Amino acid sequence: MILSIESSCDDSAIAITEISTCRLLFHKKISQELEHSVYGGVVPELAARLHAEALPRILEECEPYFSKLKAVAVTSTPGLAVTLIEGVVMAKAISVALNIPLIGVNHLVGHIYSLFIEKQEQFPLTVLLVSGGHTQVMEVENLENISTVAKSMDDSFGESFDKVAKMMNLGYPGGPLIQELAKGGERTKYNFTIPLSQSKLISFSYSGLKNAVRLAVEKGTTDDYADIAASFEHIATMHLIQKLKKYFKENPPKSFAIVGGASANLYLREQIQELLKPYGANLLLSELKYCSDNAAMIGRVAVEMYHKEMFSSLYELGISPKSKL
Ligand code: KG4
Ligand code: ZN
C-alpha cells in the first residue's frame, strides 16, 4: 500500500491506496474553506497552521496500515510554499520511521490521475485543467510525457470565480456560489467582452474580464448580482470554448478530459460536451468528489510512479511553488 499526503493549498488530505489493484482503502480530507471564507481567499500562514493540526489527526487513523506500507507519496509542487512544506516534512518523517521510499508528486499530474481513481489509466488524452491555481491545456501521452500547449497569462478560471464572489461578498470558494447565483440570472444581460477573442494566441486571460465585472458590480445593486454572475460565467466559459475550438482546428481531439476543482462547473461541462460533438470525441470527467484537491489522486499517480521506481531522495526532495508543467 501507499500512503499519500496532499497539502498544496487549503485541503489537508491523506489516502491509502493498494498498489496491486489501485483500490482506495482510506481517504480523509479536512477542508479549511470555512476558516478562509471570511477573508475571501486562502491566507497562506493560516492554511499552514491548520495543516499542522489536521494532518497528524488524520495520520493517527492510518496507523493500522503502517506495517503494510511500501512507500509514502506527497505533493511537492506546485502550491503554496508554506503549506507544501507541511506535507513534505510529514512524508519524510514517515519515510525515515518506516524505512520506505519517498515519492514526490506533481499536483497537476494528480489532477489528471483523478480521472483514474480505482480505474485503469487511459491515454493519450487532451486535458483541460481548470482549478484555483491553473488554467491549462495539456497533451498527455503517458505519465512521463505531458506537454502544456496553452495556459493562462494571468488569473486562472477558478480564481476569477473566487474574485467575483469576493466582490459580491458571497464567501469562498466562489465557484459553487457563483454557479448557484447564476441559475437565477440572465446570461446575456451584461455584454462582457470575451478575453483575447481578436488574438491568434492560444492562451487564456481572466484579469480583464474580472475588472469588467468589478465595474458592473460597483455600478449595480445586489438585485443585479444574479445577472452579473450568469453573464460572467457565460463569458468565462466562452473564452475557454473559443480557444479550444481554435486549438482543435489543428489538433482534433480523440479523448478529452476536464479536471481540477472548477471542472465541477455544470455550465462548462455542458458547453464542452457540445464542443466535442462534431469530433466524436469522448469526454472523461472525474467523480465530483475527486474534482477538488484530494489525496486519492496523489496516491493514484504514486502507484504508477512506484511501478517505475520513480523515487525521490530524502535529502533532495524539496518543495517548488511553481510547476514545471
Ligand atoms: O483544484 P482545486 O480544489 O484547487 C486548486 O488546485 O486550485 O480548485 C479550487 C477552485 C476554486 O477556485 C473554486 O472556486 C473552483 O475550483 N471551483 C469552481 C466550481 N467548484 C469549484 N469554479 C467554478 N464552478 C464551480 N462549480
Ligand atoms: Zn488542485
Side-chain angles (χ1 to χ4, degrees), residues 22-311:
C22 294
R23 217 153 48 93
L24 186 61
L25 303 174
F26 172 92
H27 184 227
K28 186 154 185 180
K29 164 164 135 174
I30 298 179
S31 294
Q32 310 171 354
E33 286 169 359
L34 220 61
E35 286 88 345
H36 296 292
S37 186
V38 282
Y39 304 103
V42 178
V43 181
E45 285 71 19
L46 173 62
R49 190 158 53 75
L50 293 169
H51 284 305
E53 287 166 18
L55 287 174
R57 264 197 283 145
I58 308 177
L59 188 65
E60 246 173 63
E61 293 183 41
C62 300
E63 235 181 285
Y65 300 100
F66 280 7
S67 63
K68 300 191 184 81
L69 294 182
K70 294 282 182 226
V72 54
V74 62
T75 301
S76 58
T77 183
L80 300 168
V82 289
T83 65
L84 285 168
I85 197 81
E86 294 295 332
V88 169
V89 166
M90 174 175 267
K92 286 187 176 184
I94 295 170
S95 168
V96 171
L98 301 181
N99 194 24
I100 52 176
L102 182 65
I103 301 176
V105 177
N106 182 311
H107 181 82
L108 308 189
V109 181
H111 275 302
I112 297 171
Y113 273 82
S114 68
L115 297 163
F116 310 128
I117 290 168
E118 304 204 295
K119 287 187 195 133
Q120 285 295 311
E121 54 178 18
Q122 195 186 314
F123 296 123
L125 198 56
T126 308
V127 177
L128 170 67
L129 165 67
V130 272
S131 68
H134 296 83
T135 303
Q136 62 191 61
V137 181
M138 291 172 281
E139 288 294 352
V140 188
E141 279 302 315
N142 52 46
L143 173 67
E144 289 167 280
N145 288 290
I146 303 174
S147 54
T148 297
V149 294
K151 57 162 77 174
S152 176
M153 305 191 299
D154 41 61
D155 292 354
S156 73
F157 180 78
E159 187 182 7
S160 69
F161 279 70
D162 295 334
K163 292 195 172 150
V164 168
K166 190 176 178 183
M167 292 169 203
M168 298 180 181
N169 281 320
L170 299 178
Y172 172 86
L177 299 165
I178 293 289
Q179 173 171 294
E180 192 53 35
L181 184 62
K183 278 186 192 161
E186 223 179 280
R187 296 207 185 275
T188 51
K189 193 80 182 224
Y190 286 80
N191 203 7
F192 300 126
T193 310
I194 301 179
L196 304 177
S197 65
Q198 302 303 322
S199 162
K200 283 196 179 119
L201 282 178
I202 302 185
S203 301
F204 306 107
S205 167
Y206 282 95
S207 62
L209 174 61
K210 182 184 70 186
N211 287 328
V213 172
R214 188 186 306 283
L215 291 177
V217 170
E218 283 169 4
K219 255 198 200 157
T221 69
T222 49
D223 291 343
D224 304 314
Y225 283 6
D227 289 332
I228 296 175
S231 305
F232 157 72
E233 187 178 47
H234 172 60
I235 298 299
T237 305
M238 284 309 119
H239 176 32
L240 291 176
I241 298 294
Q242 214 173 57
K243 290 300 176 190
L244 282 172
K245 216 180 239 174
K246 202 167 244 171
Y247 177 70
F248 288 169
K249 267 193 189 150
E250 304 283 323
N251 309 274
K254 291 192 184 74
S255 284
F256 189 83
I258 330 173
V259 300
S263 71
N265 187 278
L266 296 176
Y267 187 60
L268 172 64
R269 287 180 169 210
E270 248 173 60
Q271 295 302 315
I272 295 269
Q273 233 140 14
E274 278 304 307
L275 174 70
L276 293 176
K277 266 187 194 160
Y279 299 96
N282 62 324
L283 176 63
L284 276 72
L285 295 162
S286 320
E287 275 184 62
L288 271 180
K289 62 182 171 197
Y290 300 130
C291 287
S292 60
D293 291 350
N294 65 80
M297 66 187 195
I298 304 303
R300 183 62 188 84
V301 178
V303 166
E304 300 302 328
M305 292 178 78
Y306 180 85
H307 289 312
K308 293 180 189 302
E309 296 187 17
M310 293 166 73
F311 302 133

